Amino acid sequence: MSYSASIITPDGFDFELVYHPIPSSTPPQPVVRRHNDHHMADIMLSAQATQFLCAGTAASISSFLYNPLDCLRIRWQVAPDAVTDTSGGLLRYGSQIVRSEGLVSGLWRPGLAANVSGMFLSAAIRFSSYEHVRDGLITRYDGDDDNDDGSSGSSKHGGHMVAAGLVCGAFAYFVTAPLHLLKTLRQAEKGRPGMDVWGKMSEANNVIKGTAPVSLRGALFTAGQMIGYDGLKTAAKARGFEDGPYLHLLSSVAASFGASFLSAPADLLVARYMSMATKGDRLLVCVKEIYDERGIKGFWRGWSISFLRLTPVMIT
């Protein structure tokens, strides 16, 4: 005679415990049968879909709230030096826009829809794929043992994080490049009235050329973000630091700094190239113009706005 009992765990797995009497002094041994192994695939898919939606939703909300800072950065980057409003610095330039055009019309509304939709898709792709790519690189090059939590058993290091960030960021921004370019043009248009936004977007050559710096921006942004957060947190925990709110705060600030600092040159290049009066020049010509105007530091024009805009988002 055998005895059985069915157990359903909180995760939804249905186990059947079957006891078969053994004619010896050895206690009966349970045999475990899991009826719904196929639910594992459903749960994994559900977890990845949840991560996709959560990352995209968080990014779209932050993009909606902080679009004025994005717009201010773009307008500051494309503003001609001859414009006297820029001579008093960034704060004076922003306050002048608010006084003359209003906060909503001058800074909040331009490029809002494209920014929200572009960031939703790019963030969702980046965050839902990063850990898989990173752990895949670890398994491919350093071993194939897994930990109890399903992550790679080999230790991760900065090279894995940077490589995964570059790959995921470049792909996500390549896919969503038209939305990011449209957002940039809409915001630059406020600083350069008369710009034919849809005329520029309708020319395939413009979009193709603009995709390169956008993809580069996504790669550098994600690499800086992940090495800042994942890298610092991993290094700190390896040295005995407790994984708590203080470490999260420090790692978030590092992620914000890394993402904004590394992606700043590509950000500026996208804004300047797409807002040029003509598109006969190559991207390298645009790079030369930026360098001739302000030297190497000119490529980080406006990056402090990105840092201020990203920090509260990274922390939360």
Side-chain angles (χ1 to χ4, degrees):
M1 180 181 296
S2 62
Y3 304 91
S4 65
S6 180
I7 300 176
I8 300 178
T9 69
D11 295 329
F13 293 108
D14 185 7
F15 292 90
E16 182 183 4
L17 298 178
V18 182
Y19 291 89
H20 297 282
I22 300 176
S24 67
S25 58
T26 305
Q29 301 296 316
V31 178
V32 180
R33 300 172 185 168
R34 188 164 61 186
H35 294 299
N36 49 355
D37 285 343
H38 62 280
H39 286 179
M40 282 293 295
D42 296 337
I43 290 177
M44 292 178 63
L45 178 61
S46 177
Q48 191 167 4
T50 300
Q51 191 176 31
F52 183 95
L53 291 175
C54 289
T57 301
S60 61
I61 292 174
S62 66
S63 298
F64 175 82
L65 294 176
Y66 294 104
N67 193 63
L69 290 178
D70 278 334
C71 187
L72 176 61
R73 174 180 59 82
I74 295 296
R75 293 187 62 167
W76 174 256
Q77 289 174 337
V78 304
D81 290 337
V83 177
T84 57
D85 290 341
T86 63
S87 61
L90 181 60
L91 292 178
R92 180 178 176 182
Y93 180 63
S95 62
Q96 177 66 25
I97 293 176
V98 173
R99 285 195 301 267
S100 60
E101 304 176 29
L103 175 63
V104 175
S105 178
L107 294 176
W108 207 321
R109 189 163 51 201
L112 180 61
N115 193 14
V116 170
S117 54
M119 289 305 298
F120 176 91
L121 291 174
S122 60
I125 294 172
R126 289 188 299 119
F127 280 96
S128 63
S129 60
Y130 169 74
E131 290 184 356
H132 298 281
V133 175
R134 182 201 63 194
D135 294 345
L137 291 173
I138 297 173
T139 301
R140 173 66 175 82
Y141 295 104
D142 293 333
D144 54 3
D145 295 331
D146 289 338
N147 293 323
D148 293 337
D149 60 359
S151 61
S152 175
S154 301
S155 60
K156 57 184 177 181
H157 55 71
H160 301 132
M161 302 170 197
V162 171
L166 290 173
V167 171
C168 297
F171 176 74
Y173 274 73
F174 176 82
V175 172
T176 58
L179 292 171
H180 293 292
L181 293 174
L182 178 59
K183 165 255 182 188
T184 299
L185 283 173
R186 278 299 191 191
Q187 293 174 342
E189 179 186 27
K190 297 296 294 185
R192 293 193 173 185
M195 181 187 300
D196 186 5
V197 173
W198 293 111
K200 293 177 182 293
M201 288 297 297
S202 64
E203 296 180 20
N205 189 48
N206 293 343
V207 177
I208 293 174
K209 284 188 175 182
T211 298
V214 167
S215 301
L216 177 62
R217 191 262 184 190
L220 294 174
F221 181 94
T222 309
Q225 179 183 11
M226 297 308 177
I227 194 64
Y229 188 87
D230 196 6
L232 179 60
K233 205 169 190 181
T234 299
K237 289 166 65 177
R239 287 163 176 77
F241 286 88
E242 183 180 356
D243 187 2
Y246 293 108
L247 182 56
H248 169 73
L249 177 64
L250 183 61
S251 300
S252 299
V253 174
S256 177
F257 179 84
S260 58
F261 186 81
L262 289 183
S263 64
D267 261 337
L268 178 64
L269 186 58
V270 172
R272 291 289 295 271
Y273 177 75
M274 292 303 295
S275 63
M276 289 170 61
T278 63
K279 288 293 178 292
D281 295 329
R282 296 172 300 172
L283 284 170
L284 291 179
V285 175
C286 188
V287 172
K288 184 178 182 301
E289 287 182 355
I290 296 172
Y291 180 80
D292 291 341
E293 290 175 4
R294 297 182 177 85
I296 191 67
K297 67 178 182 180
F299 290 95
W300 278 266
R301 178 177 172 85
W303 84 271
S304 58
I305 307 178
S306 295
F307 176 68
L308 293 175
R309 175 246 190 275
L310 287 173
T311 301
V313 177
M314 297 290 185
I315 293 175
T316 56

